[in-house]
Every structure is written in structure tokens, then in C-alpha cells.
Amino acid sequence: MNNARWSLHSPRRRRVLLGTAALACLAGARSSAQPAPKPLTVGGLPVTCNLTLPVACKASELDPAAATRGPLFEFNKYSGWPELKESLMSGRLQAAYMLAPLIMDLANSSIPVKVVSLGHRSGAVIMVRRDSPYRTFRDLTRKRVAIPSRFAVDYLFLIRMLAKEGMTVKDVEVVEMAPPDMPAALYAKAVDGYATGEPFGAVAERAGYARPLSMTRNEWPNYICCVLTVRDELIRENRPLVQQLVNYVQGAGTWLDLSPDNRAKAVKIAAGPRFFNQDPNVLQYVMDNPSDRVTYGDLRLIRSEFEELMQMSIAAGTIKRHGAYENYVDESFVRNINAARIAL
């Protein structure tokens, strides 16, 4: 028995036990230091309708919890709606800010996507040259007017304004054009006017050669265009992450509308190369002239507003048939919002 006690407490035995414990601790440390999950990539265009997205991405990155889990989201900039649409359809993107009528059309075509939040309200303008004689839409008869896409709500805004003067799109020449090209086209007189989201109206207005013929803030204040959209499989596989995204977007929207200082901070973030890579002075012009040119706080999903867009899109010929609201909208995340605190 003495020999047994001696063998249990021998120096060699202690070295073996200590070595085994050290290996176990090292293995435990390695397993606990697993790499943080990759952030969710969210696609979008560099337009102020999407300003809640850079704010949400930056806020999630600066959240104290990011020190252990990493940022939740990252922005992936696209130059046009067709490329963004293809990435979302193919599954290369799981989430994006998209045109509301385009999502309705995709859902009608059995593409598994759902709107989970708005991104903004208002924010579209119809611009003409400052030195032009155009004061009403009747003055644009047989004139050339650019739109971003026939799926863009900017196009529906043009139709709406023409209808107020008893006109249709057949009374003007409509051309599709990438929004960044519109200010130069107006300057060169290649078009007589254009309908677009900001900041591409502000670019020409701030440069001094264009003025708004109409703004949604005056004519259609509850206007919605860009909506936060996710693929159905993301909802099935990671519902908590989708909820966090909606929480951060709502937090960003509330924060943006809270004060001019917050908007100025957002401009500095969004103007950088990681996000919009644009002139901050132009973005700030949108924020200030006037302050409700684009608004972000009210991001509710309201069935009647989407139904109106659906009917307008069908009348415009961009959507061929009516689709049920539930086919393209999932309200559950908005109903369960716990808006994230934005500390920037």
C-alpha cells in the first residue's frame, strides 16, 4: 500500500497528470476561440433611400458585443437594379434593399423573397433645367424624361403627376437611364427632365443648373420605394439574424430623424469608400434642403400602401397580375421590433 501511495504521488506521475491537464486546457481554448461568423452581406445602391443601411452596418460594428461576435452586417454596393436583382434571385445575396414593385414581380414569379421592412419614405424628385420654361407637367408634352427603371416607384411618381394634369406617359418620351448618368444628361440637354431618387436630383440642383419640378415630400409624402428584402431560406435558417437586421434598420431610421447632428454623422459614414463613396456635400444637401426631403423614422409595413403600389404597377404594365400581400411581405419582424440603440 505504501508503494501504491508512492506511485500515485511520484514526480513522474505528477508530470504526466500536469501534461494531460495542459493539453486539455489548450484543446478547450482552441474550441472556444472559433472564428466569428461572417457578417450578413446586404446589397444596396448608393442612394439616400438606403441611408439606414450604412448606419445599421456601422452601428453593429461598433456595438460592444462585436468585440466577441464581430459585426452583424456588411454593405455590398451595386451600381444598378438589374445586377442587384440577379444577385438576389440567384442566392448570391441573401438580403438587399430593393424596389418594391420589383419584389412584387419576383414573388409573382415564385422567387422566394419577402419584404421585412421599409428603408425610408419620400426622397424622389422630378428635375428639369433651371433655365427651361417648364413649370407644369403639361409643359413636358412630347419631351424626353428619364426614369431609373419601369419597376422604379419614381416611374409611378411620374405617372401620378402626369395624371393630375390629365396626361399619360404616352404624352412624353420615357427613357430608362442609370440615375448617376441623369444629371449629366440633363446638363447636356440629352433629356428634358428626369425622375429619380436622391442624391441624383441634388447633384444637379446643387451645381446650379437644375431645379425640382416636383418632389414626393409635397405630392406623395408616404411614398415608398426601396424596401428591405430577404430570401425565404434566410428566414427559415436564421430568423434571429433577420430580426436583428430589422431592429438595426429601425434603430437607424429613428436615429436619423432624431436630429440634424445625427444626419450629419450618417453623411460622413455613408460618403466613405466602404459605403456610397460619394461627395459628402451632396449627401448633406439632401439632408438639409429641406430636412424632410427623405425621412426614415416611419418604417411600418402598411398593407394598403403596398396594395396601392401593386395596382399602380399593374396599371402601368410593369406587373402583369395581382399577387397576394402575404406572398411578398412578412410582417412578423416589424411586429416584433426591438429597435437597436445607435451609438455613433
Side-chain angles (χ1 to χ4, degrees), residues 212-255:
L213 183 62
S214 186
M215 305 174 75
T216 50
R217 68 175 291 273
N218 299 321
E219 300 291 344
W220 194 357
N222 64 340
Y223 167 100
I224 55 177
C225 185
C226 296
V227 291
L228 175 57
T229 306
V230 300
R231 287 183 61 91
D232 287 2
E233 57 262 35
L234 182 62
I235 294 175
R236 289 195 305 270
E237 295 167 6
N238 202 340
R239 174 172 281 273
L241 181 59
V242 177
Q243 186 66 64
Q244 285 180 304
L245 177 58
V246 173
N247 290 347
Y248 265 96
V249 167
Q250 179 61 69
T254 302
W255 179 83

Side-chain angles (χ1 to χ4, degrees), residues 15-275:
R15 286 196 298 271
V16 170
L17 291 172
L18 288 171
T20 302
L23 287 172
C25 288
L26 181 60
R30 284 175 178 167
S31 64
S32 64
Q34 294 295 322
K38 289 184 178 180
L40 173 67
T41 299
V42 187
L45 268 61
V47 294
T48 51
C49 294
N50 293 352
L51 188 57
T52 45
L53 182 52
V55 172
C57 290
K58 189 67 175 179
S60 92
E61 179 184 320
L62 295 179
D63 188 306
T68 54
R69 57 143 167 85
L72 294 171
F73 328 109
E74 65 180 9
F75 177 75
N76 190 353
K77 184 175 74 172
Y78 281 75
S79 59
W81 297 115
E83 298 87 352
L84 187 53
K85 169 190 169 185
E86 290 301 322
S87 289
L88 192 64
M89 286 177 64
S90 68
R92 290 195 300 273
L93 275 179
Q94 294 287 301
Y97 277 40
M98 290 289 292
L99 298 169
L102 188 51
I103 293 305
M104 295 172 182
D105 188 61
L106 291 180
N108 275 351
S109 302
S110 300
I111 304 299
V113 290
K114 292 289 189 301
V115 176
V116 293
S117 173
L118 299 187
H120 71 106
R121 286 187 182 273
S122 196
V125 290
I126 299 173
M127 305 296 294
V128 295
R129 285 182 62 93
R130 185 173 294 279
D131 60 5
S132 74
Y134 313 137
R135 294 293 182 270
T136 70
F137 283 87
R138 180 66 60 184
D139 296 331
L140 290 176
T141 302
R142 293 188 295 279
K143 303 301 180 183
R144 190 174 172 89
V145 182
I147 60 168
S149 163
R150 292 180 190 272
F151 283 101
V153 189
D154 312 290
Y155 179 46
L156 301 181
F157 180 38
L158 175 63
I159 292 173
R160 185 182 179 117
M161 296 310 300
L162 291 170
K164 288 187 71 172
E165 297 188 28
M167 302 169 66
T168 72
V169 288
K170 294 181 181 179
D171 294 310
V172 297
E173 182 186 352
V174 174
V175 295
E176 293 188 32
M177 181 179 294
D181 298 334
M182 291 179 178
L186 186 69
Y187 182 80
K189 299 185 179 181
V191 297
D192 299 288
Y194 63 85
T196 190
E198 295 293 4
F200 302 110
V203 167
E205 184 179 5
R206 185 171 174 272
Y209 61 86
R211 56 180 168 82
L213 183 62
S214 186
M215 305 174 75
T216 50
R217 68 175 291 273
N218 299 321
E219 300 291 344
W220 194 357
N222 64 340
Y223 167 100
I224 55 177
C225 185
C226 296
V227 291
L228 175 57
T229 306
V230 300
R231 287 183 61 91
D232 287 2
E233 57 262 35
L234 182 62
I235 294 175
R236 289 195 305 270
E237 295 167 6
N238 202 340
R239 174 172 281 273
L241 181 59
V242 177
Q243 186 66 64
Q244 285 180 304
L245 177 58
V246 173
N247 290 347
Y248 265 96
V249 167
Q250 179 61 69
T254 302
W255 179 83
L256 277 162
D257 280 3
L258 194 61
S259 75
D261 286 346
N262 288 351
R263 289 188 166 216
K265 291 177 185 177
V267 163
K268 290 179 181 178
I269 292 167
R274 281 183 54 199
F275 296 109

